[in-house]
Amino acid sequence: MPTLLRGRPRKASDLVRAPRSQRPDQLWLVVVDASASTRRHGALAQAKGLLANLFEAAYRERARLAVLHATGHQPRWLWQGQKASPALHHWLAELGAGGGTPVIEALQQSAHWLARRQRQKPAEEQRLLVLTDGRLKDWSSLQPPGCPTLLVDIESGPIRLGRAKKLAEELGAEYRVISEL
């Protein structure tokens, strides 16, 4: 359109080249706590619903996704900076809970990964979403990840420990309870 506003182009230098979008690329990093404690009271089922909506939104927004699965003995990368695809929905359908809670290791790993990615793609807007019930034992101090962060507390049931809120404060993250979303 900018080319046509100048009149009919007569030579190559008359063409105005503009990028398709002026919006910077976006990356959404999701850390999913799927420890055994998230099976209680349907917490993981609620988290799966939220993740399904998030994957659809990422597809519509053309955002890149990274997914770090925190279960068992160590966190595992499922997706690293790729566009959303049906493979994520297949993983989500198969997602179960069990084992330990390597959320702290996942947060440390994600902070290093985000810092490296920021050096590689400085114009990219990064966001971090952490889904956890906060049922962790003591943890060492954590550094804020350096990007907007949202911690969604999926703890449910009659007795709530409230550790996810403390974790959010330490990360400098916005705190939300999943039942409010």
Side-chain angles (χ1 to χ4, degrees):
M1 188 65 151
T3 298
L4 298 177
L5 291 175
R6 294 180 167 180
R8 185 174 174 201
R10 305 226 184 263
K11 54 188 182 227
S13 62
D14 290 342
L15 296 174
V16 176
R17 300 191 195 286
R20 286 186 177 182
S21 172
Q22 298 296 332
R23 283 186 11 200
D25 289 336
Q26 292 185 20
L27 172 80
W28 301 351
L29 171 56
V30 182
V31 175
V32 181
D33 176 2
S35 60
S37 62
T38 62
R39 279 190 296 210
R40 294 184 194 124
H41 307 287
L44 187 62
Q46 286 184 327
K48 287 169 93 170
L50 179 66
L51 285 170
N53 290 337
L54 178 83
F55 295 161
E56 289 297 321
Y59 180 78
R60 281 192 312 273
E61 296 283 325
R62 300 196 187 286
R64 296 199 172 271
L65 281 172
V67 179
L68 189 54
H69 186 203
T71 188
H73 298 293
Q74 64 184 17
R76 225 172 15 114
W77 286 101
L78 299 170
W79 211 254
Q80 284 187 317
Q82 299 156 330
K83 299 243 179 186
S85 84
L88 282 169
H89 293 288
H90 178 69
W91 167 78
L92 191 56
E94 299 293 319
L95 178 62
T101 310
V103 172
I104 299 303
E105 293 86 353
L107 291 170
Q108 292 167 341
Q109 222 178 72
S110 64
H112 293 299
W113 189 82
L114 284 170
R116 187 172 57 248
R117 177 110 180 170
Q118 187 63 39
R119 286 190 301 272
Q120 293 169 349
K121 298 178 183 269
E124 184 175 70
E125 288 182 1
Q126 298 176 340
R127 298 190 186 289
L128 174 61
L129 171 66
V130 181
L131 297 171
T132 184
D133 62 359
R135 291 197 175 248
L136 307 164
K137 295 185 177 161
D138 295 326
W139 62 84
S140 58
S141 65
L142 294 167
Q143 295 295 321
C147 67
T149 303
L150 172 64
L151 188 140
V152 177
D153 187 352
I154 62 173
E155 184 176 35
S156 58
I159 299 173
R160 297 185 183 193
L161 302 179
R163 291 184 183 143
K165 188 168 190 169
K166 181 181 174 196
L167 184 61
E169 289 170 1
E170 192 164 329
L171 289 171
E174 182 181 345
Y175 172 81
R176 296 284 171 99
V177 177
I178 195 162
S179 60
E180 298 172 357
L181 296 176

